[in-house]
Amino acid sequence: MLSRRVFLTGMAASGLARSLRLANSPENPHSITPVQFDVPERACDCHVHVFGDVRRFPFAASRTYTPESASAAELLAVHRALHISRVVIVQPSVYGTDNSCTLDAMKQYGSGARGIAVLPSAIPSTTLDNMERTGIRGVRVNLGTAGNTNLADARHRLKSAIEQIQGRKWHVQVYAALPVITGLSDLVLASPVPVVFDHFGGAKGATGLQQPGFDKLLQFVGSGKGYVKISGAYRASNSAPDYPDAAPLARALITANPQRILWGSDWPHPDTGSGRKSSDVSPLLRVDDGHLLNLLATWVPDETLRKTILVDNPATLYAF
């Protein structure tokens, strides 16, 4: 396997330029905003996706959107600019239960990569063993991309996921709206494996700390039964570029239990709700990843606490 240094050195200049464009804002289309704080060694971006060459990794017919490509090479370049050396690559919904692209991206990224898979209802234990050896550390229940708010279906899927991974040092990652997460409360509190909630647990900055269900999310975090990713701030807020109404949510979650907080960029920022036909290519959102990472320093001014979120918590949960 090529080392990170050799891999990046061998990239074509045009590929590097494209990788940076993928992460940039329209106002500054050719460079990522420089990181304005000392990123600790072994920092981890706990939520990214990779969309590979469709000739090698075809999308599922059941997908709800079709993203532009975003390769592991481009991800490596973005992380180099952000001084990030670890990553969690999350299986996106467009591939269904075929985890080939995610596994390939983890291999390309190297030893600093871990992954979250989406599993079919029946899968041999030996297959799970092989996935664990490659760095898979959890299974995703994705209800958010398709806007699925059916609580009965959500409960069934969470129960099934917990059963599939019992006995392993894995976790279940849930992407769902806050009302759905609230309806899973008893299952989360009784779960024998950790439960991780994507993107602020579906909370919305505009409705504040008193929005229904946010107290339950704080309970999950405070009790240690749930992790929350303060990831994809633009999914919790419409107030770009600083997303000020997401800051109180982040601070409340961190105060509840900093040992259960993870940070993620949500690179390459797929537009999952564009209103296009599912087969039409949906351009990636233009989000400045440097600015997103700098926002973390405003939410968490304390350097030691930032290390807890960026390094220590991921190292524990994903077994780096």
Side-chain angles (χ1 to χ4, degrees):
M1 182 185 302
L2 291 176
S3 69
R4 170 188 290 262
R5 183 181 299 275
V6 172
F7 189 91
L8 286 170
T9 301
M11 286 177 59
S14 60
L16 176 58
R18 179 177 182 275
S19 72
L20 298 181
R21 284 198 301 271
L22 284 173
N24 294 338
S25 66
E27 294 80 11
N28 187 15
H30 298 296
S31 64
I32 292 176
T33 294
V35 181
Q36 296 168 355
F37 66 96
D38 290 332
V39 179
E41 292 185 10
R42 302 181 298 281
C44 184
D45 183 343
C46 293
H47 197 105
V48 306
H49 308 290
V50 169
F51 303 113
D53 186 334
V54 293
R55 294 168 295 185
R56 291 185 62 200
F57 306 111
F59 296 131
S62 59
R63 69 189 183 279
T64 59
Y65 71 101
T66 298
E68 292 182 298
S69 66
S71 71
E74 293 160 348
L75 172 62
L76 276 162
V78 170
H79 277 175
R80 185 184 188 188
L82 298 177
H83 311 292
I84 285 173
S85 60
R86 289 177 172 176
V87 71
V88 179
I89 301 175
V90 178
Q91 170 78 347
S93 64
V94 294
Y95 291 118
T97 59
D98 182 352
N99 296 279
S100 301
C101 184
T102 295
L103 292 168
D104 179 75
M106 292 165 60
K107 183 177 180 181
Q108 290 189 55
Y109 196 98
S111 61
R114 298 292 185 266
I116 305 299
V118 174
L119 303 180
S121 56
I123 187 169
S125 180
T126 52
T127 301
L128 295 180
D129 292 341
N130 290 335
M131 295 175 81
E132 185 166 340
R133 281 191 287 270
T134 66
I136 293 295
R137 294 293 182 264
V139 55
R140 192 185 198 199
V141 175
N142 185 344
L143 303 165
T145 299
N148 185 350
T149 58
N150 185 310
L151 184 56
D153 180 54
R155 291 180 63 85
H156 171 73
R157 290 174 64 178
L158 179 56
K159 286 180 182 178
S160 297
I162 291 171
E163 290 172 0
Q164 281 184 311
I165 66 172
Q166 281 196 73
R168 299 179 184 275
K169 294 181 179 180
W170 289 22
H171 61 271
V172 178
Q173 180 175 314
V174 176
Y175 182 27
L178 192 53
V180 175
I181 290 173
T182 302
L184 301 174
S185 177
D186 59 318
L187 299 179
V188 173
L189 293 174
S191 175
V193 300
V195 179
V196 178
F197 299 102
D198 289 349
H199 308 323
F200 292 82
K204 300 300 181 185
T207 45
L209 299 180
Q210 303 306 315
Q211 62 190 287
F214 191 67
D215 58 340
K216 186 62 65 176
L217 191 64
L218 292 174
Q219 179 188 357
F220 296 154
V221 173
S223 67
K225 296 298 295 186
Y227 287 77
V228 174
K229 295 183 182 182
I230 49 174
S231 56
Y234 52 90
R235 301 199 183 280
S237 171
N238 293 322
S239 301
D242 293 335
Y243 314 108
D245 52 354
L249 302 179
R251 292 176 180 134
L253 290 164
I254 293 165
T255 299
N257 190 347
Q259 280 73 40
R260 290 297 181 269
I261 304 300
L262 306 162
W263 178 85
S265 65
D266 196 33
W267 185 93
H269 318 295
D271 185 354
T272 61
S274 62
R276 297 178 177 85
K277 294 180 181 179
S278 61
S279 57
D280 291 342
V281 175
S282 181
L284 299 169
L285 298 173
R286 301 298 292 272
V287 176
D288 183 339
D289 288 279
H291 187 64
L292 278 185
L293 185 54
N294 284 329
L295 287 178
L296 178 65
T298 69
W299 300 342
V300 189
D302 183 79
E303 181 178 354
T304 300
L305 192 53
R306 286 201 302 271
K307 180 177 178 292
T308 296
I309 294 169
L310 288 171
V311 180
D312 301 337
N313 295 346
T316 298
L317 184 63
Y318 301 105
F320 278 106

